């Protein structure tokens, strides 16, 4: 029979090996949609219109991400994702092989859809309907009137002219959205220079943008941005659904007395 001292030695060795294993690479566990039913589905609609010639990747994108958990999950094969009947790009998640050392980072499963802003502008506003499914479960997310092109509408006055010392109203469209918090506005000199943040008061979906009296006359880019609440009509197959609709746009303006 092994002595008490030898047992303590064996247990100590196993404990040390366990610690070493814990310091190794993170392992992603293959999961089905049924395994993710207790997670939250987080969504973001990004709608960014800049005056740059080439819009950066992701400027007009809808993204779904499963919330993080203690277990690093990687979607098993066989999962599909669609947005209003069109296929989404599915990223199974897990631990990406970066080829470099350092701490492993677990990436949660996600799905993305890059939309054409011109098409969404010309098409009727619709509910946004996302379906994920495999052999084990279906996940359904429906957002009220979310398939629409966002924009800020100048209510009164010349759209390309701002007057110093005055307040200029910009209305978030579509009206079916509900703006969360306050919009933000800044002026960027057209010929280069630091951006100046403008005071904004929010009244419902209308941003009241004020131009200080000390603003230098000239040509600028007015950058407006804000977030609307994503109104969830249906959330099935997961613990919950939450997210927002972000929009930003640039407008060429002149500041006048």
């Amino acid at each position: 029979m092994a002595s008490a001292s030898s047992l303590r030695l064996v247990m100590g060795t196993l404990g040390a090996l366990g610690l070493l294993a814990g310091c190794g690479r993170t392992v992603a566990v293959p999961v089905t949609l049924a395994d993710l039913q207790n997670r939250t589905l987080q969504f973001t609609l990004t709608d960014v219109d800049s005056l740059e010639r080439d819009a950066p990747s992701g400027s007009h994108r809808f993204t779904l991400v499963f919330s993080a958990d203690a277990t690093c999950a990687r979607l098993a094969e066989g999962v599909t994702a669609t947005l209003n009947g069109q296929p989404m790009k599915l990223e199974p998640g897990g631990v990406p092989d970066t080829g470099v050392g350092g701490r492993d980072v677990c990436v949660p499963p996600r799905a993305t859809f890059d939309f054409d802003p011109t098409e969404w502008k010309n098409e009727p506003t619709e509910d946004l309907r996302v379906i994920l499914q495999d052999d084990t479960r279906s996940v359904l997310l429906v957002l009220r009137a979310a398939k629409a092109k966002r924009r800020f509408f100048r209510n009164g006055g010349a759209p390309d002219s701002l007057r110093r010392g005055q307040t200029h109203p910009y209305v978030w469209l579509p009206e079916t959205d509900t703006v969360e918090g306050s919009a933000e506005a800044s002026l960027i000199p057209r010929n280069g220079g630091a951006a100046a943040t403008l005071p904004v008061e929010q009244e419902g979906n209308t941003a009241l943008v004020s131009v200080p009296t000390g603003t230098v006359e000239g040509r600028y880019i007015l950058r407006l941005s804000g977030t609307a609440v994503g109104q969830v009509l249906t959330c099935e197959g997961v613990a919950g659904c939450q997210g927002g609709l972000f929009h930003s746009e640039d407008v060429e303006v002149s500041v006048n007395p």
Side-chain angles (χ1 to χ4, degrees):
M1 179 178 294
S3 65
S5 60
S6 62
L7 285 174
R8 285 196 295 271
L9 177 62
V10 171
M11 294 301 293
T13 302
L14 290 176
L17 290 174
L19 288 174
L20 289 174
C23 294
R25 292 184 60 85
T26 301
V27 177
V29 178
V31 297
T32 63
L33 290 179
D35 297 322
L36 298 175
Q37 61 182 306
N38 293 324
R39 298 199 186 190
T40 298
L41 198 59
Q42 301 166 334
F43 61 86
T44 304
L45 190 149
T46 304
D47 182 2
V48 176
D49 301 324
S50 70
L51 290 177
E52 299 174 355
R53 179 170 298 178
D54 297 320
S57 176
S59 295
H60 301 95
R61 174 176 292 177
F62 183 80
T63 303
L64 286 177
V65 181
F66 283 93
S67 61
D69 192 76
T71 301
C72 182
R74 178 180 175 83
L75 283 176
E77 294 185 2
V79 180
T80 60
T82 59
L83 182 149
N84 286 35
Q86 300 185 57
M88 301 181 71
K89 179 182 178 182
L90 197 61
E91 300 177 22
V95 182
D97 185 6
T98 61
V100 296
R103 185 180 179 87
D104 294 329
V105 177
C106 181
V107 178
R110 69 178 57 212
T112 60
F113 181 85
D114 289 331
F115 63 91
D116 184 330
T118 302
E119 288 185 4
W120 277 29
K121 179 180 179 180
N122 295 330
E123 293 173 351
T125 298
E126 299 177 2
D127 292 343
L128 193 153
R129 184 182 182 89
V130 177
I131 300 175
L132 293 88
Q133 59 186 56
D134 62 9
D135 292 338
T136 67
R137 197 172 187 84
S138 293
V139 175
L140 173 62
L141 168 66
V142 181
L143 300 177
R144 178 175 180 263
K147 183 182 171 294
K149 181 70 183 73
R150 269 83 201 167
R151 66 190 181 99
F152 285 97
F153 172 71
R154 172 73 177 273
N155 189 6
D160 61 348
S161 178
L162 300 176
R163 292 196 175 277
R164 295 184 301 185
Q166 294 189 7
T167 298
H168 309 275
Y170 287 87
V171 182
W172 174 294
L173 297 175
E175 295 178 348
T176 49
D177 287 349
T178 300
V179 175
E180 185 176 30
S182 177
E184 296 181 355
S186 59
L187 278 179
I188 306 169
R190 200 67 180 92
N191 295 326
T197 301
L198 300 179
V200 178
E201 290 187 13
Q202 194 73 31
E203 294 184 356
N205 274 17
T206 300
L208 303 175
V209 180
S210 298
V211 179
T213 55
T215 304
V216 177
E217 297 177 37
R219 298 293 296 175
Y220 291 86
I221 293 175
L222 173 64
R223 178 162 295 166
L224 301 164
S225 63
T227 301
V229 178
Q231 300 183 45
V232 178
L233 295 179
T234 305
C235 178
E236 298 177 354
V238 288
C241 301
Q242 62 183 30
L245 318 172
F246 175 79
H247 174 60
S248 175
E249 69 179 69
D250 292 349
V251 182
E252 285 198 62
V253 298
S254 61
V255 172
N256 302 307

